[in-house]
Structures are given as C-alpha cells and as structure tokens.
Amino acid sequence: MNDRLQQLALFVRVVESGSFSKAAREFGQSQPSVSRAMAALERRLTVKLLVRTTRQVSATDAGEALLARARDALLAIDDAESAARGADRLSGVLRVALPPGYGAWRIVPLLPAFFARHPLLKIDLMMSDRYENLIAEGADLALRIGDLPDSSFVARKLESARRLFIAAPSYLARRGAPASLADLARHDLIGGPADPGDETWVGRRNGRIERQAVSPRVHSRSAAGVVACAVAGLGVASGSSWMCADALASGEVVEILTDYALDPVPAYVVFPAGRRPSQRARAFSDYLEQALAAIGEEKGSSADLEKPASRSSRSLPPHPLRNA
C-alpha cells in the first residue's frame, strides 16, 4: 500500500475508533508513527482533519467530508483487487463480532468449509457477550442473537432456534420437577446474559399466555455459564436449543415444562451503518445463510432479509435469555 492509501486507511481507523493507539495496534505500528502520518496527511491537504483531546480523537467538518469518501475509495480498491483475483481468492482479514456461545456452538464448526472456499482469507473472531460499537471496534460484520435494539443497523435474519427450559437430573431429584410456570417461584433459577436481575419469564400453554415473576439465584453473563450452572445442578435455566444441545445429548440436563411454548431465539448478521459491506463480508454472510439453512431448525423467511434492524413486535415480552 503506497503512502497516500496508507494515510487514508489510518485516518479512517483513527476516526472510527477515536484513538491513535487502537489504529496503531490494528496496523502493527507505533502510536507516534500514526500521529506523524496524520500530521503529514493534514499538511498534504492543507486542512485540519482531526481534533485531539485527552480522551478521544474526532473528525473536523473537513475530516467528516474526507471520511466518507476515503471509506468508499478504500473499499472500491479492495473490491477491485478481489474481482481481479476471483471470488474464490478473497484475501485479507475479515473481522467478525459475535457472542462466544453462538460462535463456538454454531459458527466455528462451519469455518473449515468456508476456508476451503477462500484459502487466502483470515478471520478475526471478536467474541464477546457485550454489544460493541461495530465501527469503533473495526468489525466488518456482527452476528447477533435476539431482538436487535439499534435501528441504525442493517441486518439479515439467518435462522432461529427453539427456546426451552432445562435442569439437571440431580437438581430435579432433590427439588422435584416444576409442573407449571407458577411453580418456578419455589425453585432456584439461573439468569443469563440479558437478565438484569428480577425479571418476568413468559410462556404459552394451551393457547394461553402465562407470566411468572422470577429472581434468579445465580446469574451468568455468558450462555456457556448458564449451561454450566444448570449442569452443576444449581437450578432451572432457559435458553436456545443451540446452547443446550450438547448437555441435552449427554443427559447432563433434561428438558422440563415441555408443554410450554417460548418465543424462538433469532440470529442475525448485522452490518455497520453508513458503510458498504466489503466483498469479504458479503461472501461470509452469504455462506452462513446457505450453511445454516442446510442445518437449521427454523429458517427466516425472505421477508425478514435485508431490512433495517429494529425492535420486533412480538406477542410475548422479551425473555431474560434472549441473547443466549
């Protein structure tokens, strides 16, 4: 990459991340070298592009004008090079933000076949249960579970999974099995990533909606932690069939309250707003859609695809483990 393109690429990441140090780490450079490159860019264009404070770096009006065009120019160059190589010779690094549990259980097993199609491509799996700012973190796309709270995203629904109640045989032998949602008031409960504490769990039985106020005794900020707590016999948990599959297959937990229907857990691929997806991101999204359709439980309809993400209207309130 020549100096002018390098300066533009660094400028874009400095503004997006709000930090010289973050951009420097991503490009394998020192912070002073990035600062010098930005100073050189400003001298070359004879305009102030960045405002530096002790906490953050932001763009001036001139910098904002440059930012959009620089993104487009860099993406156009990247797409042109990819087109010249061919669709099967994508290269570079694809940065994917995703929850650890969904990534480990659902996405990682699909990567060998994707790498076989694109042997020159690298993937950075940015696994976190927190919803990071995709642009600031430099993600090309994200995989999100549950309702999408930010309407600025552009999302494609990939699939959805059944949600169920589980408990360990040891716990049920000790405390008995609940026969209704109301019985959960007398049981130890395990809360998940999206559970703020006191919550209402909701289910539908015989065509009627039932609600039960709950206060989990144990709370885990990860889906894997929820399953581990259930396996350990700490109480009743709820989550997607993705996260429970291995423990159910091994008999470490069993499904309970099977006559209740819970809202399914949707999975989306999400693209950062204001940025055209790269060919790498589009290829990965298309691959996941095809691969998950082949193995999935409930594929999203075509009406769900390519729509701005927003809070979906649902007949049932959000469940505490909607992100599991």
Side-chain angles (χ1 to χ4, degrees):
M1 184 180 293
N2 65 37
D3 289 344
R4 294 179 66 181
L5 290 179
Q6 176 86 334
Q7 287 176 354
L8 287 178
L10 283 169
F11 168 74
V12 169
R13 287 306 299 141
V14 165
V15 176
E16 289 179 341
S17 66
S19 168
F20 283 103
S21 59
K22 284 185 179 179
R25 285 195 298 271
E26 290 181 20
F27 281 81
Q29 298 185 17
S30 67
Q31 183 174 337
S33 68
V34 173
S35 182
R36 288 193 296 270
M38 294 303 92
L41 178 61
E42 289 179 326
R43 286 196 303 271
R44 180 163 62 84
L45 299 180
T46 65
V47 66
K48 187 174 180 60
L49 300 172
L50 299 170
V51 177
R52 303 162 177 83
T53 69
T54 56
R55 300 186 62 181
Q56 192 173 18
V57 181
S58 58
T60 63
D61 289 344
E64 289 289 350
L66 175 62
L67 178 64
R69 289 166 176 79
R71 279 178 180 156
D72 289 344
L74 292 167
L75 184 57
I77 292 170
D78 186 61
D79 283 351
E81 292 179 347
S82 296
R85 294 189 191 98
D88 59 343
R89 291 182 61 80
L90 295 177
S91 64
V93 178
L94 177 68
R95 294 178 174 86
V96 183
L98 71 170
Y102 185 68
W105 291 314
R106 203 67 169 162
I107 302 303
V108 170
L110 302 178
L111 293 183
F114 183 70
F115 280 138
R117 295 186 185 185
H118 305 288
L120 302 180
L121 196 60
K122 299 179 181 178
I123 294 183
D124 180 4
L125 296 176
M126 305 163 62
M127 290 193 179
S128 173
D129 278 310
R130 297 185 301 169
Y131 277 18
E132 306 286 0
N133 182 315
L134 299 186
I135 292 178
E137 294 301 315
D140 296 294
L141 74 162
L143 303 178
R144 297 299 192 218
I145 308 303
D147 291 339
L148 299 173
D150 192 336
S151 60
S152 67
F153 293 145
V154 174
R156 298 171 64 181
K157 186 176 179 181
L158 293 173
E159 59 173 345
S160 61
R162 189 168 67 92
R163 181 183 283 126
L164 58 152
F165 292 109
I166 60 169
S170 60
Y171 175 84
L172 298 175
R174 187 171 70 251
R175 298 287 298 274
S180 69
L181 215 59
D183 287 348
L184 294 179
R186 297 184 292 275
H187 281 265
D188 295 335
L189 306 178
I190 302 165
D195 180 9
D198 292 343
E199 186 58 82
T200 300
W201 287 8
V202 183
R204 184 183 289 106
R205 182 170 65 169
N206 298 326
R208 298 182 59 185
I209 295 174
E210 298 181 23
R211 295 175 172 85
Q212 177 60 43
V214 299
S215 180
R217 185 176 187 183
V218 180
H219 177 264
S220 171
R221 296 188 181 184
S222 74
V226 171
V227 176
C229 288
V231 168
L234 298 182
V236 174
S238 175
S240 68
S241 56
W242 299 318
M243 61 181 276
C244 305
D246 289 346
L248 285 168
S250 67
E252 293 174 297
V253 298
V254 296
E255 184 178 358
I256 60 174
L257 297 173
T258 56
D259 51 347
Y260 281 89
L262 308 179
D263 278 353
V265 184
Y268 297 89
V269 59
V270 176
F271 300 101
R275 181 196 296 174
R276 182 165 59 90
S278 66
Q279 190 168 346
R280 290 187 294 267
R282 295 194 300 270
F284 189 58
S285 173
D286 290 345
Y287 167 75
L288 289 183
E289 186 177 350
Q290 296 166 7
L292 291 171
I295 64 173
E297 297 176 10
E298 304 169 24
K299 182 65 182 68
S301 68
S302 58
D304 293 321
L305 303 183
E306 299 290 5
K307 64 181 181 181
S310 60
R311 290 189 181 274
S312 59
S313 57
R314 306 196 308 169
S315 58
L316 301 182
H319 189 278
L321 292 180
R322 62 182 179 274
N323 290 338

